[in-house]
C-alpha cells in the first residue's frame, strides 16, 4: 500500500517510515503542507495536524476535495474532543492522538482500509428515512434537497443506523459494523456521532439512548 506520511518532525517521520516499511507499505514523506498537497495519489494519508506552513485541518480539507476516496488518518497531540470532531469534520476517516503505539496505528490503518475495500463491493441501492436519502452505490447523502458531504466512517455509521431506523442500535453493534471491532473505539464512536450530527444540521436526528446506543429518528 502507498502511504503519504505528512510529518515535520524528522525523528518521528524516520521512525514511522521505518515501521511502515517493515509492514510492507511504500512510504512517501512530506514535511510541509505544500509538499503534501503536491504529492502524487496514494492509498492512505497519515496527516500530522501541526504543520509549519499551514493548519493541518485545511490540508485535510484540500486533500479530501482532490480525492474523495483516499483514506485519511489525522495524527495529532491535540486530544480534546473538540479537536477530534474538527479533524473528522475536515474529512479525516480516523483520528489518532500522540503518543501512540505502532500496534494501535497499524490496527487503525487496517480498519480504515477494510472500509475502503468494502465500499467498492457495495451494490446499487438506496435508503430513504424521512427527508434523509442515502445512495449506497455512490456513497452520497441528501437531507431534503441539500447534499451532505460525509467522511467514510461517518457515511458507514449513518448507513448502519438507517438500516434500523426507529430502533436502537447498540454501541457494540455500531462499533463492529463500522470499525470491525468492539474494543478501543468507544470514544471514537461518540466523536463520529457528534460530527455526523453537525453535518446533518439536525442534532435530534441521531438520538442517544443512554447506556445502550443510538437511534436514527424515523420520519
Amino acid at each position: 500500500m502507498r502511504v503519504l506520511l505528512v510529518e515535520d518532525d524528522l525523528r518521528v517521520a524516520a521512525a514511522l517510515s521505518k515501521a511502515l516499511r517493515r509492514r510492507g507499505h511504500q512510504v512517501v514523506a512530506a514535511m510541509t503542507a505544500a509538499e503534501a498537497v503536491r504529492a502524487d495519489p496514494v492509498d492512505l494519508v497519515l496527516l500530522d495536524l501541526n504543520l509549519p506552513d499551514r493548519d493541518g485541518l485545511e490540508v485535510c480539507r484540500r486533500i479530501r476535495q482532490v480525492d474523495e476516496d483516499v483514506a485519511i488518518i489525522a495524527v495529532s497531540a491535540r486530544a480534546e474532543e473538540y479537536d477530534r470532531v474538527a479533524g473528522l469534520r475536515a474529512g479525516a476517516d480516523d483520528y489518532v492522538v500522540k503518543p501512540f503505539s505502532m500496534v494501535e496505528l497499524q490496527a487503525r490503518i487496517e480498519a480504515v482500509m477494510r472500509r475502503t475495500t468494502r465500499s467498492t463491493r457495495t451494490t446499487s441501492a438506496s435508503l430513504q428515512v424521512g427527508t434523509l436519502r442515502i445512495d449506497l452505490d455512490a456513497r452520497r447523502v441528501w437531507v431534503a434537497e441539500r447534499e451532505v458531504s460525509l467522511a467514510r466512517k461517518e457515511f458507514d455509521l449513518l448507513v448502519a443506523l438507517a438500516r434500523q431506523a426507529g430502533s436502537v442500535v447498540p454501541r457494540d453493534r455500531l462499533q463492529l459494523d463500522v470499525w470491525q471491532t468492539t474494543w478501543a473505539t468507544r470514544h471514537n464512536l461518540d466523536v463520529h456521532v457528534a460530527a455526523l450530527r453537525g453535518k446533518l444540521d439536525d442534532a435530534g436526528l441521531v438520538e442517544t439512548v443512554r447506556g445502550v446506543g443510538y437511534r436514527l429518528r424515523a420520519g
Side-chain angles (χ1 to χ4, degrees):
M1 184 171 62
R2 186 174 170 85
V3 179
L4 172 61
L5 175 60
V6 187
E7 171 60 66
D8 68 327
D9 187 312
L10 285 174
R11 288 187 298 177
V12 173
L16 277 176
S17 295
K18 184 176 181 180
L20 289 166
R21 290 189 176 102
R22 282 180 176 175
R23 287 163 172 79
H25 305 305
Q26 181 182 354
V27 180
V28 178
M31 295 185 63
T32 66
E35 292 176 356
V37 298
R38 290 198 305 263
D40 291 333
V42 294
D43 303 300
L44 170 71
V45 179
L46 295 178
L47 176 62
D48 181 14
L49 297 184
N50 297 312
L51 297 173
D53 56 336
R54 191 180 302 177
D55 184 82
L57 295 177
E58 184 181 344
V59 177
C60 187
R61 295 187 192 98
R62 177 71 179 274
I63 292 174
R64 180 59 70 208
Q65 289 172 355
V66 174
D67 189 343
E68 295 181 354
D69 297 322
V70 67
I72 302 174
I73 298 179
V75 180
S76 176
R78 308 174 194 171
E80 297 298 323
E81 182 177 17
Y82 168 83
D83 297 311
R84 293 171 181 263
V85 171
L88 295 171
R89 285 180 174 171
D93 296 291
D94 203 350
Y95 190 108
V96 181
V97 176
K98 294 179 177 179
F100 54 84
S101 70
M102 193 59 209
V103 173
E104 177 189 3
L105 180 61
Q106 181 63 26
R108 300 290 188 101
I109 291 173
E110 291 171 357
V112 166
M113 299 313 297
R114 276 198 299 268
R115 299 309 306 163
T116 304
T117 302
R118 287 180 59 182
S119 71
T120 64
R121 299 198 296 264
T122 305
T123 58
S124 180
S126 64
L127 294 171
Q128 183 85 36
V129 182
T131 61
L132 177 68
R133 180 164 61 90
I134 306 172
D135 186 325
L136 297 176
D137 187 52
R139 296 180 68 84
R140 299 173 68 184
V141 175
W142 292 264
V143 176
E145 299 302 318
R146 179 177 65 91
E147 185 169 4
V148 180
S149 178
L150 300 181
R152 186 174 291 107
K153 278 191 172 63
E154 294 166 358
F155 180 87
D156 294 332
L157 176 59
L158 181 61
V159 169
L161 291 167
R163 290 189 188 280
Q164 300 184 58
S167 300
V168 180
V169 185
R171 298 179 65 94
D172 286 353
R173 179 72 256 173
L174 290 171
Q175 290 172 193
L176 188 61
D177 286 348
V178 179
W179 285 273
Q180 291 81 56
T181 181
T182 57
W183 62 274
T185 56
R186 187 175 184 85
H187 185 63
N188 263 355
L189 175 59
D190 297 334
V191 169
H192 279 75
V193 168
L196 184 59
R197 283 170 171 158
K199 290 186 176 181
L200 295 177
D201 199 25
D202 184 350
L205 186 58
V206 180
E207 302 169 340
T208 300
V209 181
R210 192 173 299 277
V212 182
Y214 294 98
R215 173 175 54 219
L216 184 69
R217 189 179 67 219

